[in-house]
Amino acid sequence: MAREQLEVLNALDAAKTQWYHFTAIVIAGMGFFTDAYDLFCISLVTKLLGRIYYHTDGSPTPGSLPPNLSAAVNGVAFCGTLSGQLFFGWLGDKLGRKKVYGMTLMLMVLCSIGSGLSFGHTAQSVMATLCFFRFWLGFGIGGDYPLSATIMSEYASKKTRGAFIAAVFAMQGFGILAGGMFAIIISAAFKTRFPAPAYAIDPLASTVPQADYVWRIILMFGALPAALTYYWRMKMPETARYTALVARNAKQAASDMSKVLHAEISENQATVDRYAGGQSNSFGLFSREFARRHGLHLLGTTATWFLLDIAFYSQNLFQKDIFSAIGWIPKAATMNALDEVYRIARAQTLIALCGTVPGYWFTVALIDIIGRFTIQVVGFVMMTTFMLGLAIPYKHWTTPGHHIGFIVMYGITFFFANFGPNSTTFIVPAEIFPARLRSTCHGISAASGKLGAIVGSFGFLYLAQNPNPALTDHGYPPGIGVRNALFVLAGCSLLGLCFTFLMPESKGKSLEEMSGENRDEEGA
């Protein structure tokens, strides 16, 4: 049986789209823009780091990061992100969304700058400080996931909530795009100013000393968008759902939302106490009642995000290796260091422009029309199909003249990851759990995703190596090859599809209806 709904929550659920919705999307979205830029820009410069710090005299190929170090540089931010998602997700439910939101942003600004200033007299010390700052950068980014999703879900009306949370997440696409475009601009500018021969012609001269500034500038640029939105983040009021249902302050919740919605809202403290103090709003995360009501939901959100991120991050971080394997990027020895950065960035930007960004915005447009469940099911089915389409005729795709077909298919798998589970796994955990556990449960789901990203980024690096020991990258053991690695990723997508059936459809329902907070004791 439904319980009487609080006036302030009713006002939010029924609110027409207003200016404050858009400002909230931009403020929360710029955090995600920065997150994506910071997480993915490292893949643009890892080959450059190898050339600068791990050059071997007399080697026929340019220097490259040793396998363990390459995995650490690529994956250490994910380890930080996983820790940050769990910690800040929990803190967001304890201290409030707004208080914690500013902390995560400052951490991101400071550690972006720190990453670019990585210092030391030896290659090892530079890499050690880089990994140190990348970990804490990831820690700050981790906090952004549960807080941005929770804030947007608690601000939005029930008719447009999916689109608004998806719009925040879609800023990731622009972050990836900005990373590629900025790397193109910086590498092109340095290439013009400091021309150098290809590695095959003169190994030492092919990496100009100024190349050391290029990766530092690219990494440090991530601090700018985060710093620009700090002031506005601090001006946002706490969400009414947190203030009313968790902090139980009726007057403050009504006052905050009256300003935001430009309407007179009053709230009775006794009603808030009765609403927030019932059995439906008192069980904890580790209680039998939570397991009964939301146990399968949490299993669904964590498992689908874990499986998706194995596939998604494997593909995203190692695009450069796949492009090299099919011959879309020339052999490293035929380019100088800055030319290689330029070509990797150009390839990544093209994929982002054609597959990644459109996928996100298709989700924004259609999620409140066709629902979360349908988008996630279709996304996983199409990802599985297209990965098998890449893997089965892999030899065909790698022969000259067929590279464009491979790139198109590869771009389509990205499109359906983003118009699919990459967006919905972020949205659904912000909608289906109770207010006092919402940020924590989103943090757990997101951390499970990052665990998948760690498996993907560390595992794919080794798995995709050629089975022939003579053809592996320097320092790597033989793997199962790109073709078989693609089969593994297709299998992950198929498993993700199975776990999707544990998640409820939240389209058009209020947050309290989804979480069961508006049911009285008999109805519960």
Side-chain angles (χ1 to χ4, degrees), residues 91-104:
L91 207 61
D93 283 334
K94 286 282 168 281
L95 301 182
R97 297 26 167 156
K98 183 192 166 179
K99 273 185 189 164
V100 183
Y101 216 25
M103 292 181 209
T104 63

Side-chain angles (χ1 to χ4, degrees), residues 309-319 322 456-457 460 489:
D309 273 11
I310 290 177
F312 185 72
Y313 280 90
S314 297
Q315 281 189 298
N316 228 329
L317 277 170
F318 300 104
Q319 283 182 26
I322 291 172
S457 55
F460 194 80
L489 300 187

Side-chain angles (χ1 to χ4, degrees), residues 102-228:
M103 292 181 209
T104 63
L105 207 63
M106 280 320 295
L107 197 54
M108 282 155 63
V109 171
L110 294 172
C111 293
S112 281
I113 294 167
S115 299
L117 294 176
S118 296
F119 43 81
H121 295 296
T122 64
Q124 284 83 352
S125 56
V126 172
M127 292 300 130
T129 48
L130 175 61
C131 287
F132 173 82
F133 284 117
R134 293 281 301 166
F135 176 86
W136 289 106
L137 173 66
F139 194 71
I141 288 171
D144 228 38
Y145 274 74
L147 293 167
S148 291
T150 302
I151 284 170
M152 205 62 242
S153 75
E154 293 183 344
Y155 263 128
S157 73
K158 60 186 179 186
K159 275 187 184 166
T160 55
R161 188 177 61 238
F164 288 168
I165 307 173
V168 168
F169 194 61
M171 293 300 282
Q172 257 201 343
F174 289 129
I176 295 169
L177 195 59
M181 289 170 72
F182 188 67
I184 288 173
I185 293 165
I186 294 296
S187 57
F190 272 76
K191 207 163 62 145
T192 309
R193 179 74 181 80
F194 306 104
Y199 183 87
I201 296 167
D202 187 340
L204 271 177
S206 71
T207 306
V208 293
Q210 292 80 3
D212 197 48
Y213 294 119
V214 171
W215 69 269
R216 295 175 187 276
I217 292 167
I218 290 170
L219 295 189
M220 287 168 82
F221 184 73
L224 192 65
L228 291 175

Side-chain angles (χ1 to χ4, degrees), residues 437-491:
L437 301 170
R438 186 170 289 133
S439 178
T440 305
C441 288
H442 195 286
I444 292 168
S445 304
S448 173
K450 277 298 160 284
L451 187 60
I454 292 165
V455 170
S457 55
F458 284 79
F460 194 80
L461 197 64
Y462 290 89
L463 272 183
Q465 291 300 320
N466 200 297
N468 181 348
L471 297 174
T472 59
D473 288 348
H474 179 66
Y476 286 84
I480 60 172
V482 172
R483 179 174 188 248
N484 290 331
L486 286 167
F487 276 121
V488 172
L489 300 187

Side-chain angles (χ1 to χ4, degrees), residues 3 275-283 289 292-293 436 521 524:
R3 182 198 290 184
Y275 192 97
Q279 187 187 321
S280 286
N281 292 314
S282 56
F283 58 83
E289 186 65 14
R292 186 176 73 79
R293 292 187 183 204
R436 69 192 177 286
E521 272 64 81

Side-chain angles (χ1 to χ4, degrees), residues 8 11 13 42 44 47 89 130 212 275 304 308 317 320 404:
V8 68
D13 278 340
I42 194 71
L44 300 167
K47 295 221 177 208
L130 175 61
D212 197 48
Y275 192 97
T304 50
L308 163 82
L317 277 170
K320 59 185 185 300
I404 298 300

